[in-house]
Amino acid sequence: MRWLVGFDLTPHSVGVIRFAKWLHARSGGTLEIHGLHVDDRATLGLHGEGGELGSGPDLEPTLERARAFLEHYRVLEAFGSVDVRPGAPVELLPTLAQERGFDGLLLGRMAPIGHTPLMALGPIPRKVLRRARLPTAIVPPDLDPTKLGQGPILVGVDASEHSLEAIALARRLARSLSLAIRMVHVVASPTPVAVMGVLSVRPRDPTMATIDLVDPLDTSLAEQAIGRWIGDNGLEDLPLELRRGPISTSLRDAALDHEATFLMSGSRRLSLTERVLTQSIASDLASHAGRPVVVVPSSAAIAGRQLG
């Protein structure tokens, strides 16, 4: 497998380049790592000493700084190549990754572990995830790779085609990294909604204005459905854990409980309306998890983006 690491020369990228080195070492070198630093000075209207960015020699000093950055954090030897390109990172990173036949993309997020600022992901990872064309790993900037490898790859599943694609990639990574896989299915609690100005958990009856009136959550049907899905898709060899509660929080808690090496989640393409009304579970995981999160876009969503 070949993964492309998109990195800048700031502390936000320290976690992702260290994770990349860990992946390379853990796989015995079978998981290839290549680095790409996108220099966006030209898109910002800035110029180098030799003229506008991209005019030949002007990229050489940037490449030297990129290699020096990797060398400073003692990860350079894990990278099969390091490249610098001018352009907009949001467009260039996924485009080049796809054109060069990479299996996935690795990016660093802004927020350290345990911090929840408004912009936890950062603008580039957030936009790349929204239009993801390849599996994309989001890594906290302060990740400590020495704590990885004790627990399994934890895959959040929801009895959908998106989850099957995430599990397929998890199997490939598990073989390369000598890790176990654990599936977790979360039965979500009812979400309070605003109806006619009243906070209610029963949209058909806005007079029921307190969560105390909710009946106990019956999870039996959900448990039966996930059981059938596992049997229908030949996943009986993978352990499954059922949890109840908010999906993203429950998956993060499960990752802590099992000391998961990283989390994986399938992802579908949300419409504009859905993005306004709900938050992507995958994006929320990537924003707040204390370990790397690999988001696997559905093949249908990728096809739709290519047609668009």
Side-chain angles (χ1 to χ4, degrees):
M1 298 183 71
R2 300 170 65 246
W3 286 69
L4 181 66
V5 182
F7 69 100
D8 59 20
L9 309 184
T10 73
H12 296 148
S13 289
V14 174
V16 71
I17 61 175
R18 286 176 169 166
F19 181 54
K21 179 182 177 179
W22 182 88
L23 289 171
H24 181 73
R26 176 81 178 198
S27 70
T30 60
L31 202 156
E32 296 181 23
I33 300 296
H34 299 267
L36 177 62
H37 170 57
V38 180
D39 194 326
D40 60 358
R41 287 179 296 163
T43 63
L44 298 175
L46 303 178
H47 302 272
E49 295 179 356
E52 188 167 347
L53 186 68
S55 59
D58 188 51
L59 285 179
E60 287 302 320
T62 307
L63 178 59
E64 291 177 7
R65 289 194 295 272
R67 293 180 66 87
F69 179 81
L70 298 176
E71 181 65 40
H72 175 77
Y73 289 101
R74 301 179 180 179
V75 301
L76 181 60
E77 68 276 9
F79 285 72
S81 67
V82 181
D83 196 6
V84 172
R85 291 294 184 94
V90 171
E91 299 295 337
L92 197 57
L93 284 167
T95 298
L96 285 181
Q98 195 169 36
E99 288 178 353
R100 295 180 182 182
F102 284 97
D103 296 288
L105 184 63
L106 292 98
L107 301 172
R109 78 173 190 222
M110 288 183 62
I113 296 170
H115 292 246
T116 56
L118 186 61
M119 292 289 289
L121 271 179
I124 294 172
R126 177 174 55 83
K127 293 176 182 177
V128 169
L129 282 184
R130 182 176 293 176
R131 60 189 76 173
R133 307 174 196 173
L134 291 171
T136 303
I138 305 297
V139 185
D142 52 345
L143 178 74
D144 182 359
T146 64
K147 297 181 180 179
L148 299 178
Q150 302 301 314
I153 298 172
L154 194 148
V155 187
V157 297
D158 63 356
S160 69
E161 187 68 27
H162 321 303
S163 292
L164 289 178
E165 295 184 63
I167 290 172
L169 179 60
R171 288 189 187 276
R172 294 181 64 193
L173 288 170
R175 286 193 295 269
S176 296
L177 302 172
S178 300
L179 293 172
I181 298 173
R182 186 176 190 86
M183 299 185 297
V184 176
H185 175 66
V186 180
V187 181
S189 302
T191 302
V193 296
V195 181
M196 299 178 62
V198 179
L199 184 63
S200 174
V201 291
R202 299 190 177 190
R204 290 170 295 178
D205 185 0
T207 63
M208 297 290 192
T210 169
I211 198 166
D212 296 331
L213 299 178
V214 181
D215 296 328
L217 183 62
D218 182 1
T219 62
S220 58
L221 292 179
E223 292 172 5
Q224 293 171 19
I226 197 72
R228 287 193 300 270
W229 178 78
I230 288 172
D232 291 344
N233 291 283
L235 303 177
E236 296 92 342
D237 61 310
L238 301 178
L240 171 72
E241 179 177 336
L242 292 171
R243 295 208 172 205
R244 298 166 181 80
I247 297 176
S248 179
T249 303
S250 298
L251 290 174
R252 297 199 305 269
D253 289 345
L256 288 173
D257 292 345
H258 297 288
E259 297 183 322
T261 297
F262 53 88
L263 281 152
M264 294 188 67
S265 171
S267 177
R268 65 186 179 90
R269 187 180 189 181
L270 296 181
S271 68
L272 177 60
T273 301
E274 287 174 318
R275 287 202 300 268
V276 171
L277 296 177
T278 64
Q279 183 174 21
S280 162
I281 299 300
S283 293
D284 190 64
L285 276 176
S287 297
H288 302 112
R291 59 231 328 111
V293 174
V294 182
V295 179
V296 184
S298 70
S299 53
I302 295 171
R305 292 183 188 101
Q306 291 173 337
L307 291 174

